[in-house]
Amino acid sequence: TFLPGKTFFPIVTRDFSSGPPKPDPAGILHIADAWGLKEEDGAASLIMVGDSVDDMVAGYRAGAATVLLSSEDNQGLEGHECTGVAVGRLDDLVGMLEKGFVERGS
């Protein structure tokens, strides 16, 4: 593994049996619940990082901040109403998180 000794839980894939697939927010809300986040806050403490409209919509509907991993194929989603921030590389998030994450329109 890339991170020996680290456990990722829960893992939600396309085979997630506790709810419909994205863009439904069920998978993200399942993670929030598994991590003990308060029900009234939902996924407000989470950041959904993805590369598709379904990822952005699911995160938005769950109440999570959304980050688009932008590429030539999905650049049109950068201005989508459910996209909070767009980055070209995942490591661009490090600086954003260190400075205090702020979504567009916040």
Side-chain angles (χ1 to χ4, degrees):
T1 68
F2 292 105
L3 297 170
K6 301 293 181 186
T7 301
F8 290 91
F9 177 81
I11 296 174
V12 177
T13 68
R14 293 180 196 274
D15 299 325
F16 178 60
S17 62
S18 294
K22 296 178 289 185
D24 191 280
I28 298 167
L29 295 173
H30 172 75
I31 292 168
D33 183 57
W35 288 354
L37 301 176
K38 294 182 179 170
E39 188 172 314
E40 64 270 11
D41 294 336
S45 300
L46 301 179
I47 299 174
M48 172 61 177
V49 180
D51 63 358
S52 73
V53 68
D54 286 349
D55 294 334
M56 297 300 99
V57 172
Y60 183 84
R61 288 180 178 171
T66 58
V67 176
L68 175 70
L69 181 57
S70 187
S71 69
E72 285 185 24
D73 295 331
N74 67 8
Q75 285 178 345
L77 294 176
E78 291 181 10
H80 191 277
E81 65 184 342
C82 295
T83 300
V85 174
V87 297
R89 298 169 41 112
L90 285 176
D91 57 359
D92 292 341
L93 276 175
V94 175
M96 295 173 78
L97 293 170
E98 289 175 343
K99 293 176 186 172
F101 183 83
V102 178
E103 285 188 290
R104 175 185 70 217
S106 295

